Amino acid sequence: MQNQLKVLTSEDCIEFNREALDMFKHYSMDLSFLPKDGFKIIEIIENTSPDIVLMDLFMPRIDAIGIITTVRKNRRVEMPTFIVLSSFGRPSLEREVMSAGASYFLIKPVSYSDIIEKILQITYKTKLNPNLSSQMSDLHISNLENIELKITEILHQIGVPAHIKGYHYLRNSIKMSIENPGIINFVTKKLYPSVAENFETTPSRVERAIRHAIEVAWDRGDVDVLNSYFGYTIHNSRGKPTNSEFIAMISDKLRLQLRSAS
């Protein structure tokens, strides 16, 4: 089919249910599965010239960073867009992966809808498939990549560890709140269920994981950074902010920054 995106993934085919496969097909993505072998992946990339490569960070013989570096050096092959998945993450590891040339570094578990969303963002940016651009809102198109980078930077500064589930739930919640400010008024009825759906979990687990992430940041984070975002909370007897306060304060600050930059 013309304008189909050629997507290669090292994820096991048995992990993709029928619904997931249908989602990729719906968005004009031709999905093929790769062996979990770094050298074989390089060979397949060189022979098939895919648009997107979705692969694990750690694999036998050569890891994702080595694959990206090797493909980049081969000037006969057009550089595909790389999305790297990992079961754990550290800020230093994420920086290394991104510096190597990956477009996204995602921590498992990650929903298929979130992966497709990332591919759609890349597609619009690189214009690999213009027909997909209508799937995204104007705000989504113009600012989403910048929003995600800013949210990630803030969470790292505050001291939320990237390897805990609450980190990813917070990042998703803040992004939703920026795109739809009204959702913060319906945290229990709308926000938590939406995040839970994205990560294939339950709203109560989302709430608990976010609360734990905030507690960790409050115990271990940089006081000066925390003060810059939550000064009124630190300097009185109220203690740490609630989940909704935490999400609202960061999303409001980022939304104002985006407006002033536009």
Side-chain angles (χ1 to χ4, degrees), residues 80-119:
T81 297
F82 290 100
I83 300 175
V84 177
L85 304 175
S86 177
S87 297
F88 68 95
R90 299 189 306 271
S92 58
L93 184 61
E94 182 173 355
R95 286 194 295 271
E96 187 177 359
V97 171
M98 299 298 285
S99 297
S103 293
Y104 288 105
F105 178 71
L106 305 179
I107 307 298
K108 296 181 179 180
V110 59
S111 67
Y112 299 119
S113 59
D114 197 33
I115 291 173
I116 289 173
E117 180 182 308
K118 297 294 184 291
I119 294 175

Side-chain angles (χ1 to χ4, degrees), residues 152-208:
T152 299
E153 181 181 355
I154 288 173
L155 292 179
H156 288 170
Q157 288 176 345
I158 289 174
V160 180
H163 69 277
I164 62 176
K165 291 181 179 179
Y167 170 90
H168 306 287
Y169 298 163
L170 269 173
R171 188 162 62 175
N172 197 220
S173 298
I174 294 167
K175 184 180 72 173
M176 286 185 184
S177 184
I178 291 172
E179 296 175 340
N180 179 17
I183 201 171
I184 200 65
N185 298 318
F186 304 95
V187 172
T188 303
K189 292 184 177 180
K190 293 185 179 181
L191 183 59
Y192 292 156
S194 297
V195 175
E197 183 178 358
N198 288 341
F199 289 89
E200 299 176 353
T201 185
T202 65
S204 60
R205 288 176 178 173
V206 169
E207 188 277 332
R208 288 196 301 269

